[in-house]
Amino acid sequence: MGLQNTKHSKAKPANILMLGLDSAGKSTLLYKFKYNEVFLTMPTIGFNVDMIETGKDFTLTFWDVGGQQKMRQVWCHFLENAGGLLYVVDSSDKRRLEESKKEFELVLKNEFIKRVPVIVLANKQDLPGALNAEEITRRFNVMKYCSDRNWYVQPCCAITGEGLSEALEILTTFAKHYSRSKETSTIFKEIETQ
Ligand code: G3D
Ligand code: MG
């Protein structure tokens, strides 16, 4: 009975953590998601937060956390309550691809983020020489690091908005699924301890 009720109740907002190196395009993406506009972004000191309704019964709260070296040390504090990870890559910046990959691996090794769904946004597809989604998947070893969860690599351009509605749709599906599976396992744990 309890499980059935859970299934039909309104889901809680899911916290979506936006990570990636500085200048990958996180803040531009957030503004585009929210307002469908391109704003002049400034390097994010600390974090930006915004809620976006992605359906009648579901809201995503986006946490856009600064990607500068100093801020990366505090990324782990945001992981605990994450219901989804949006990892943003500047697909045209081959010089910093390895650095971005290392940070990605580090985040995914964190216990708190186990099984949390991941969307990798292969951003800046409009720039010449940008690596496509298949190449980003391969270089970031996504299959290996995300084998225990739902994942997807979406090519996109935060300036034109190309690829963003697809990313939001998949993210919503994954986050809903994750949040329900977490609620179900909490209920099982409660039943077990009764
Ligand atoms: P961040 O929040 O990850 O640090 P920003 O990154 O959103 O501040 O973006 C950094 C720069 O990349 C910005 O340019 C922004 O306009 C640009 N940018 C973001 N997404 C795209 C994209 O898809 N294509 C292109 N061509 N540029 C993008 P400036 O010049 O303001 O530094
Ligand atoms: Mg920013």
Side-chain angles (χ1 to χ4, degrees):
M1 277 301 255
L3 296 183
Q4 217 171 5
N5 288 341
T6 306
K7 206 171 176 188
H8 295 291
S9 65
K10 189 172 165 152
K12 278 192 213 146
N15 288 313
I16 306 299
L17 193 54
M18 299 180 82
L19 298 179
L21 298 188
D22 48 295
S23 202
K26 300 177 292 298
S27 303
T28 311
L29 280 161
L30 186 58
Y31 289 131
K32 195 76 183 170
F33 279 148
K34 177 87 178 173
Y35 306 104
N36 199 23
E37 298 231 1
V38 177
F39 283 77
L40 186 66
T41 57
M42 306 283 278
T44 308
I45 311 294
F47 59 88
N48 301 313
V49 64
D50 237 319
M51 283 177 96
I52 299 175
E53 277 196 27
T54 56
K56 270 204 300 256
D57 63 340
F58 209 59
T59 303
L60 300 178
T61 305
F62 287 85
W63 297 81
D64 159 25
V65 185
Q68 298 97 327
Q69 196 90 43
K70 260 194 179 163
M71 276 307 288
R72 287 182 222 162
Q73 293 159 15
V74 301
W75 281 3
C76 56
H77 299 298
F78 287 87
L79 297 175
E80 203 167 340
N81 296 310
L85 172 67
L86 207 53
Y87 194 83
V88 185
V89 180
D90 178 344
S91 319
S92 72
D93 187 359
K94 296 190 187 103
R95 198 176 49 86
R96 295 211 299 163
L97 213 65
E98 191 55 33
E99 188 185 350
S100 180
K101 179 198 161 185
K102 279 200 182 121
E103 297 295 349
F104 179 67
E105 287 179 10
L106 209 62
V107 168
L108 289 180
K109 278 182 186 158
N110 192 297
E111 272 296 303
F112 285 131
I113 207 142
K114 226 176 171 181
R115 287 192 292 279
V116 168
V118 171
I119 304 276
V120 176
L121 287 179
N123 193 31
K124 305 201 186 182
Q125 288 295 319
D126 57 311
L127 293 181
L131 298 176
N132 64 21
E134 288 72 28
E135 197 56 25
I136 295 286
T137 308
R138 196 180 66 77
R139 298 228 192 166
F140 278 65
N141 251 328
V142 183
M143 282 186 179
K144 177 179 166 197
Y145 287 102
C146 295
S147 59
D148 62 338
R149 67 193 80 214
N150 278 327
W151 63 268
Y152 194 75
V153 181
Q154 173 69 44
C156 70
C157 171
I159 302 285
T160 63
E162 219 175 319
L164 298 195
S165 56
E166 291 90 335
L168 218 48
E169 201 174 309
I170 299 163
L171 179 62
T172 304
T173 306
F174 284 178
K176 261 187 191 171
H177 187 267
Y178 177 71
S179 128
R180 282 184 184 146
S181 68
K182 237 173 65 171
E183 278 177 24
T184 308
S185 72
T186 309
I187 289 168
F188 276 127
K189 270 185 204 145
E190 279 170 10
I191 292 170
E192 272 170 14
T193 53
Q194 271 169 18

